């Protein structure tokens, strides 16, 4: 009986050929070849059509790259692979379209700002220098930016951190929903509105323009960014850590202070740095509340100050060749400042990242 059952069992064949292994495939260098051919055709078509803008040539080349990739893959492989190649080509085209303007902006700023960017420019102010003549520097604006951004960080970082801790660890019910709603609203608030809010307080209280007033407006713009980034970082902390600490009889406030926040401190610091980079380029609140100054004012609590964004606008408004050079140099300093903050944030995030074992 057992022999009959064994004889009735179908025998699997291991000799069937695999269609996937024998199917035709494009070489690995095909996307690079498609890009080269598309670029050549885009330049040729653009030049033959009389189009002078290189942006139009690039758009034609991008469209041809997608079409050529899809067509060649359909002919050589199959429609399924062609659809996959189409999606990949669109992603690459969108990536290039996003990177090219950024690289163009950086190249223009560096090439035009490097003309007057030197030690003298970084260590002198515009005191006694007519705006239409060469000379002067950005020191007073750099001091103003550092002080205003520093004060805004001192105000907004604790408020944003405590708000995020409340929403993640304690927030329930209508109050938490209301706080979340207002944080979402504040995230998209225009900078001029924050400036007008502080300006109304200044007019009611009879306060004079100063760096502190500008810092308060910048803090309003910074708080929702800090809250959102910190909230997401606290949510990433595993609940097992909280439960283990609570099981040992540790109070909840101490669990938050000693376990939750130290675990997420890398991400929290990164969020704060990104919030600082977001407010470093704001101009409207400074124009309303700080007024700008050609002199060096190291006291943010009294008197008008300048800042890098306000200095750039001020010099560009003059309209002379020397003022344009100073504006581009100040823009380069501002970009370097923001880039430095991002590098510091990445370094802190990597330093404070939880160590993973094998």
């Amino acid at each position: 009986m057992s022999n009959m059952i064994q004889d009735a069992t179908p025998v699997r064949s291991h000799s069937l050929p695999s269609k996937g292994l024998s199917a035709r495939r494009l070489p690995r260098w095909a996307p690079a070849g498609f890009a080269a051919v598309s670029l050549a055709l885009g330049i040729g078509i653009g030049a033959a059509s009389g189009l002078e803008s290189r942006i139009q040539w690039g758009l034609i080349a991008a469209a041809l790259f997608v079409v050529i990739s899809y067509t060649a893959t359909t002919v050589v492989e199959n429609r399924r692979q062609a659809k996959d190649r189409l999606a990949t080509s669109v992603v690459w085209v969108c990536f290039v379209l996003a990177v090219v303007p950024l690289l163009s902006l950086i190249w223009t700023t560096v090439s035009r700002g490097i003309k007057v960017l030197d030690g003298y420019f970084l260590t002198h102010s515009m005191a006694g220098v007519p705006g239409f003549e060469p000379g002067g520097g950005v020191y007073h604006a750099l001091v103003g930016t550092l002080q205003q951004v520093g004060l805004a960080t001192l105000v907004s970082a604790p408020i944003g951190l405590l708000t995020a801790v409340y929403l993640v660890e304690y927030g329930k019910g209508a109050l938490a929903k209301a706080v979340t709603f207002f944080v979402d609203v504040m995230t998209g608030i225009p900078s001029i509105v924050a400036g007008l809010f502080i300006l109304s307080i200044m007019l009611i209280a009879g306060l004079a323009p100063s760096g502190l007033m500008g810092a308060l407006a910048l803090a309003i713009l910074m708080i929702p960014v800090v809250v959102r980034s910190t909230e997401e970082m606290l949510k990433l902390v595993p609940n097992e850590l909280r439960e283990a600490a609570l099981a040992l009889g540790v109070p909840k406030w101490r669990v938050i202070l000693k376990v939750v926040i130290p675990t997420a401190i890398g991400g929290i610091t990164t969020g704060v740095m990104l919030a600082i980079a977001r407010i470093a380029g704001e101009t409207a609140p400074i124009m309303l509340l700080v007024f700008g100054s050609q002199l060096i004012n190291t006291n943010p609590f009294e008197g008008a100050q300048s800042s890098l964004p306000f200095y750039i606008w001020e010099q560009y408004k003059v309209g002379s060749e020397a003022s344009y050079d100073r504006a581009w140099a100040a823009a380069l300093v501002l970009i370097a400042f923001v880039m430095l903050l991002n590098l510091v944030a990445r370094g802190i995030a990597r330093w404070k990242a939880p160590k993973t074992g094998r």
Side-chain angles (χ1 to χ4, degrees):
M1 187 67 179
S2 59
N3 294 334
M4 295 176 62
I5 295 176
Q6 292 178 358
D7 294 337
T9 304
V11 179
R12 296 181 181 180
S13 175
H14 298 281
S15 60
L16 294 177
S18 175
K19 293 183 179 180
L21 296 177
S22 61
R24 295 182 301 172
R25 290 187 178 277
L26 289 170
R28 300 185 64 177
W29 51 263
F34 296 154
V37 172
S38 302
L39 185 61
L41 290 176
I43 295 174
I45 294 173
S49 302
L51 301 176
E52 298 180 357
S53 175
R54 295 182 179 180
I55 297 178
Q56 294 175 326
W57 296 2
L59 294 176
I60 294 173
L64 289 174
F65 174 72
V66 174
V67 173
I68 292 175
S69 299
Y70 179 78
T71 304
T73 307
T74 303
V75 173
V76 176
E77 298 181 5
N78 52 61
R79 294 184 63 87
R80 180 179 179 182
Q81 295 295 331
K83 291 179 180 179
D84 179 76
R85 181 83 66 178
L86 175 63
T88 305
S89 302
V90 171
V91 170
W92 274 105
V93 168
C94 292
F95 169 75
V96 172
L97 292 178
V99 169
V100 168
L102 177 62
L103 295 178
S104 176
L105 173 64
I106 295 176
W107 171 255
T108 303
T109 305
V110 171
S111 60
R112 301 194 62 173
I114 203 68
K115 296 179 181 179
V116 298
L117 183 60
D118 53 16
Y120 179 86
F121 181 77
L122 294 175
T123 56
H124 288 74
S125 68
M126 292 297 295
V129 180
F132 53 87
E133 293 184 0
V138 76
Y139 180 74
H140 61 299
L142 185 59
V143 169
T145 294
L146 292 175
Q147 290 183 344
Q148 294 157 23
V149 171
L151 288 174
T153 304
L154 290 177
V155 172
S156 59
I159 296 176
L161 176 60
L162 294 176
T163 303
V165 169
Y166 167 75
L167 292 176
V168 175
E169 303 294 337
Y170 298 98
K172 294 180 181 179
L175 180 59
K177 293 180 180 179
V179 172
T180 303
F181 172 76
F182 283 111
V183 168
D184 292 337
V185 172
M186 290 178 63
T187 302
I189 189 173
S191 60
I192 190 67
V193 175
L196 289 174
F197 174 72
I198 300 298
L199 179 62
S200 63
I201 296 177
M202 287 175 54
L203 296 177
I204 293 173
L207 301 175
S210 64
L212 176 62
M213 298 296 105
L216 293 178
L218 296 179
I220 294 176
L221 301 173
M222 188 175 173
I223 286 175
V225 181
V226 177
V227 172
R228 273 284 165 257
S229 59
T230 304
E231 185 180 1
E232 294 302 322
M233 290 301 104
L234 294 179
K235 288 180 179 178
L236 293 178
V237 177
N239 286 328
E240 289 78 5
L241 295 178
R242 298 180 176 89
E243 294 171 356
L246 292 173
L248 296 175
V250 181
K252 187 170 184 178
W253 66 269
R254 196 171 182 85
V255 172
I256 296 172
L257 188 62
K258 296 294 184 178
V259 177
V260 178
I261 293 180
T263 304
I265 191 63
I268 294 173
T269 306
T270 303
V272 173
M273 292 292 182
L274 295 178
I276 293 174
R278 182 250 187 274
I279 66 171
E282 293 293 343
T283 309
I286 307 303
M287 295 173 62
L288 287 174
L289 306 171
V290 185
F291 277 21
S293 175
Q294 304 295 326
L295 305 176
I296 300 173
N297 180 12
T298 57
N299 183 8
F301 302 100
E302 183 179 359
Q305 274 190 326
S306 185
S307 69
L308 287 174
F310 183 86
Y311 179 86
I312 295 169
W313 172 80
E314 189 179 43
Q315 294 300 316
Y316 191 82
K317 186 180 64 173
V318 173
S320 67
E321 188 66 26
S323 66
Y324 286 156
D325 291 339
R326 287 192 294 265
W328 282 107
L332 182 57
V333 172
L334 182 59
I335 290 177
F337 175 69
V338 174
M339 186 177 298
L340 180 62
L341 288 177
N342 281 273
L343 292 176
V344 171
R346 289 180 178 273
I348 294 176
R350 180 171 297 182
W351 174 43
K352 292 294 184 178
K355 303 298 186 293
T356 56
R358 293 184 177 273

